[in-house]
Amino acid sequence: MHAINIISGISMLGVLIGSAALIIILSVFNGFEKVILSLYSNFTPEIKIEPRFGKTFNPDTTYFNTLHQDKRLISYTEVLQEKALIKYGDKTFLATVKGVSDDFLKNKQLDSTVQVGSFTLKSGGRNFAVIGATIQNNLGINVHDELSPIQIYSPRRGSESSDNPLNEFVVRSINPSGVFGIQQEFDDIVVTPLEFARDLLDQPKEVSSIELTYKKGTDLTSIQNKLTDDIGTKFTVKNRKQQNTELYKTLNYERWSIFTILTFVLIIAIFNIIGSLTMLVIDKRKDIAILSSLGANKQTIQGIFFFEGMMISLIGCIAGIVLGLIFCLLQQHFGWIKMGAQMSVIDAYPVDINPVDVGLVLLTVGIISVIASGISARLSIKGLDEIKQDL
């Protein structure tokens, strides 16, 4: 009997650890997701209008001029974007030049993405660039060295073959004012004033896209639907999720992959209960036969062992959830577990507790426990008639 209690305790401990691990891992993943999407939102607009065909379009139309006057807008940013070769010293890097109009800087969250320097595009009548962390790491750019600007090479429009290859490129120099870091997709971008990009790309009027950010509380879904209806088939109107569907898909895939792996670990822990209950059934065979002789039917005997299996599972699950939540709250407030590297955005592992995760863990453990306890309960009445005959 003592050995059975130990085995049951080990089974309960396994469920406890598995449940706590699920809550902690899901909460940490929620924290990472929140940080990534927050940084992503700091750099991307709420609504983005792009041409359905081709790379650029002329925004100087009645429709866009009227849209610009919408009082719900915080910023109306014209963007001209294209690939270009960046040179610094003797190193080169293929990057994306993103020229933006002045409204781009109305996004006050941009400063939170800066790792070095500042997010300055114009100062003292001069143009400046803000470069992504990937560019800075590859080229070793010193943003504080004003004597060493970066050079940007872009193919000259309509150029013909020349004996001197440099004649086929437009070359412009600009000093970097800062370095921003978000994620790999954005960290190879050079943000410049729109006028600089127009001169570099020889595009005096056209733009690649228009980025819109609205005041807090604005119904973005209805605005997107209205823009889609009004703007016609020549343009696409995308919200933040549609602007980077791969990011959202990746986050969801990672989340469910982690949940599935930990669920299999939990299944192994819970099914240990079958072993402990089977031993208990063997130990209590005579007691089962006596209960049956006293009038207890098979359903009653099954219910006893089913309830014991569920009790072991749920006590372990609830205790694990409580311990997991306590750990998450402590990590939120004190940040004891560090990332192990100096980062500008986060130092300790981020945690975000979601009540849905608690319900999901309870549901998962409940379903697995019902199956495991049901198997154990069936074993309790197997061979009951033979036991009664032996007595």
Side-chain angles (χ1 to χ4, degrees):
M1 184 65 181
H2 183 66
I4 296 173
N5 290 336
I6 293 176
I7 294 173
S8 297
I10 293 173
S11 300
M12 185 183 295
L13 182 63
V15 178
L16 184 151
I17 294 173
S19 301
L22 267 176
I23 289 294
I24 293 170
I25 294 298
L26 289 175
S27 297
V28 170
F29 188 84
N30 290 340
F32 276 119
E33 182 177 340
K34 188 174 181 180
V35 170
I36 291 171
L37 293 181
S38 174
L39 290 173
Y40 171 67
S41 299
N42 289 344
F43 197 78
T44 57
E46 293 172 335
I47 301 291
K48 187 175 185 178
I49 301 174
E50 295 177 309
R52 189 179 296 273
F53 308 103
K55 291 185 176 182
T56 59
F57 64 96
N58 189 348
D60 189 15
T61 64
T62 302
Y63 178 79
F64 287 114
N65 290 333
T66 303
L67 179 61
H68 196 176
Q69 304 304 318
D70 191 338
K71 294 182 179 179
R72 295 172 295 180
L73 280 171
I74 293 177
S75 66
Y76 176 99
T77 305
E78 295 181 347
V79 177
L80 182 59
Q81 185 168 303
E82 189 56 88
K83 290 285 186 181
L85 185 69
I86 312 298
K87 184 178 180 182
Y88 183 78
D90 58 351
K91 296 181 180 179
T92 58
F93 185 83
L94 186 62
T96 300
V97 174
K98 180 175 182 177
V100 296
S101 58
D102 294 341
D103 270 17
F104 185 78
L105 295 179
K106 289 183 179 180
N107 182 358
K108 302 302 181 183
Q109 303 301 321
L110 288 173
D111 289 340
S112 64
T113 67
V114 175
Q115 296 181 350
V116 181
S118 63
F119 216 109
T120 302
L121 297 180
K122 293 180 182 180
S123 179
R126 296 173 57 197
N127 291 326
F128 290 90
V130 183
I131 61 175
T134 301
I135 301 173
Q136 197 272 341
N137 292 334
N138 279 273
L139 301 182
I141 297 173
N142 181 2
V143 298
H144 302 297
D145 184 4
E146 295 187 2
L147 299 179
S148 301
I150 59 174
Q151 292 181 308
I152 305 180
Y153 292 74
S154 177
R156 190 182 301 275
R157 295 181 65 193
S159 65
E160 299 179 356
S161 297
S162 172
D163 293 336
N164 185 358
L166 289 178
N167 293 336
E168 300 178 20
F169 290 89
V170 177
V171 184
R172 296 290 182 268
S173 297
I174 190 170
N175 283 96
S177 62
V179 178
F180 68 88
I182 301 176
Q183 59 172 341
Q184 188 172 2
E185 181 180 350
F186 296 101
D187 291 352
D188 64 347
I189 292 177
V190 178
V191 182
T192 70
L194 182 60
E195 296 78 9
F196 177 87
R198 288 195 185 284
D199 179 46
L200 174 71
L201 303 175
D202 192 18
Q203 287 282 13
K205 293 183 179 180
E206 296 196 337
V207 297
S208 304
S209 63
I210 292 176
E211 299 182 349
L212 308 175
T213 302
Y214 288 84
K215 295 178 181 177
K216 190 175 181 180
T218 305
D219 187 351
L220 296 176
T221 302
S222 63
I223 285 179
Q224 183 184 9
N225 293 335
K226 188 176 187 309
L227 287 173
T228 303
D229 293 337
D230 295 345
I231 206 168
T233 59
K234 294 182 179 180
F235 298 90
T236 58
V237 182
K238 298 179 180 180
N239 57 30
R240 277 188 175 137
K241 189 172 183 179
Q242 293 167 337
Q243 291 170 43
N244 197 341
T245 55
E246 291 303 317
L247 173 62
Y248 285 87
K249 285 181 181 179
T250 301
L251 290 173
N252 283 328
Y253 287 152
E254 289 178 352
R255 176 184 178 84
W256 288 111
S257 296
I258 291 172
F259 178 79
T260 302
I261 292 170
L262 289 178
T263 297
F264 278 115
V265 175
L266 203 56
I267 288 173
I268 295 172
I270 291 177
F271 269 79
N272 283 332
I273 296 172
I274 296 177
S276 62
L277 290 182
T278 300
M279 294 185 65
L280 184 62
V281 168
I282 295 172
D283 185 68
K284 298 294 184 181
R285 290 179 65 177
K286 291 183 179 180
D287 296 328
I288 293 171
I290 293 172
L291 282 174
S292 178
S293 300
L294 293 174
N297 57 30
K298 293 182 178 180
Q299 288 74 23
T300 301
I301 295 171
Q302 280 184 322
I304 292 172
F305 287 95
F306 180 82
F307 175 78
E308 182 167 354
M310 291 298 296
M311 183 176 64
I312 293 172
S313 300
L314 293 180
I315 289 176
C317 176
I318 293 171
I321 289 174
V322 171
L323 288 177
L325 291 175
I326 291 173
F327 176 87
C328 291
L329 289 172
L330 291 174
Q331 178 66 12
Q332 272 185 333
H333 286 86
F334 301 104
W336 288 334
I337 311 299
K338 304 296 183 181
M339 296 288 294
Q342 294 297 323
M343 299 183 65
S344 61
V345 180
I346 49 175
D347 179 35
Y349 279 96
V351 173
D352 183 38
I353 298 173
N354 189 345
V356 175
D357 292 338
V358 176
L360 187 61
V361 173
L362 279 172
L363 179 63
T364 302
V365 172
I367 292 173
I368 301 172
S369 299
V370 167
I371 297 173
S373 300
I375 294 173
S376 301
R378 288 180 63 85
L379 293 174
S380 66
I381 61 168
K382 189 176 182 180
L384 182 59
D385 294 333
E386 289 81 354
I387 297 172
K388 292 169 64 176
Q389 288 176 2
D390 292 341
L391 294 176

